[in-house]
Amino acid sequence: MSTTRRLLITAGPTHEPIDPVRYLGNRSSGKLGIALAEAGQAAGWEIRLLMGPTETEMAAGLDVRRFVSTADLAGLLDEHLPWCDALIMTAAVADYRPKQRSAVKLPRSAGLTLELEPTEDLVAACVKRKRSDQIIIGFALEEPDQLEDRARRKMRRKALDAIVANPLVTMGADTIDAQVLTPDEQHLRPGAMPKPQFATWLVDWIGHHDFQSK
Ligand code: CTP
């Protein structure tokens, strides 16, 4: 896929509001997504980074658009998906969100029972509406003993062009020991390394891999 030059990356957690001051979130740092954006830029790709609510530092000069909730990210993907040749979905999108958001701060003394509803599967929705020349790569964070099996099933369920499977310890860490799986049964294990080094490796792989003649 040597013609690919526009890379859209999502990174970081989502925060799902409970009331004006509280939210449900997760521990994603966005480090890998930022590293991918920096590696892509260094390799001469055009980059847009859709970035969740984290304080993680990144290089100056990146084209960054911010989201907070899953709903915000859905809106940004509507806007930017048509622009890209490849989408890399590293964002740790919440699986559930509070069914209702209180407009006023809830008092502690009242106690709180939250009713949660599942969020929309954003990457699966992107796959359904993408052009045939676009590729979409997902990520999976799994228990180490079920990593390959669960990631492969997730790739098929969401009809992804590839999935990057990581053990749970990857979240928030500086290093990564990922496996890359493809629908045509490729299985790559580049080994444990710092996230920036893995990002350079993955961007290079995406640039050279034949995504079934796309
Ligand atoms: N993802 C998404 N929208 C969601 C949840 C996940 O787009 N609501 C994307 C993630 O960005 C990632 C991929 O789907 O690229 C896999 O995320 P994961 O949370 O592992 O998948 P789930 O479908 O939520 O499966 P599980 O039941 O294992 O949580």
Side-chain angles (χ1 to χ4, degrees):
M1 206 187 56
S2 55
T3 54
T4 295
R5 282 292 167 260
R6 289 177 166 183
L7 193 53
L8 181 63
I9 299 164
T10 71
T14 63
H15 288 178
E16 309 302 326
I18 296 170
D19 71 10
V21 298
R22 303 181 179 95
Y23 59 83
L24 290 179
N26 63 65
R27 298 215 314 266
S28 169
S29 63
K31 281 179 195 162
L32 183 60
I34 292 169
L36 283 163
E38 291 172 353
Q41 185 147 287
W45 298 49
E46 283 182 64
I47 305 292
R48 287 186 189 171
L49 176 60
L50 309 184
M51 188 71 212
T54 72
E55 303 290 319
T56 311
E57 287 183 14
M58 61 186 91
L62 281 176
D63 183 343
V64 183
R65 323 283 165 115
R66 289 279 179 173
F67 62 85
V68 177
S69 66
T70 300
D72 299 337
L73 179 54
L76 285 176
L77 285 167
D78 282 345
E79 188 182 340
H80 297 287
L81 181 66
W83 168 85
C84 76
D85 297 305
L87 166 64
I88 309 184
M89 195 78 183
T90 69
V93 184
D95 290 322
Y96 318 102
R97 67 176 153 225
K99 204 164 181 180
Q100 263 129 26
R101 177 200 175 152
S102 170
V104 295
K105 187 183 171 217
L106 297 166
R108 181 177 63 90
S109 55
L112 182 60
T113 302
L114 286 177
E115 193 180 348
L116 304 180
E117 62 182 7
T119 54
E120 182 195 8
D121 191 327
L122 300 183
V123 78
C126 287
V127 166
K128 285 191 182 119
R129 66 177 188 271
K130 80 182 177 90
R131 297 187 309 268
S132 60
D133 63 312
Q134 292 178 301
I135 65 150
I136 299 189
I137 298 175
F139 274 67
L141 204 59
E142 308 289 354
E143 297 288 349
D145 57 334
Q146 302 165 23
L147 188 81
E148 185 185 344
D149 183 48
R150 287 184 56 96
R152 195 170 286 289
R153 276 191 277 140
K154 207 166 275 186
M155 173 176 64
R156 294 209 179 101
R157 190 172 77 237
K158 298 177 190 246
L160 300 167
D161 294 295
I163 196 159
V164 181
N166 299 293
L168 293 185
V169 291
T170 312
M171 189 175 264
D174 290 325
T175 58
I176 181 168
D177 186 7
Q179 304 182 27
V180 180
L181 308 171
T182 67
D184 62 351
E185 306 296 334
Q186 285 199 37
H187 186 175
L188 295 97
R189 293 164 172 263
M193 61 184 92
K195 285 181 175 175
Q197 196 181 329
F198 175 76
T200 301
W201 178 88
L202 187 66
V203 165
D204 186 60
W205 180 77
I206 294 169
H208 291 95
H209 182 67
D210 179 11
F211 287 92
Q212 288 165 356
S213 309
K214 280 180 180 173

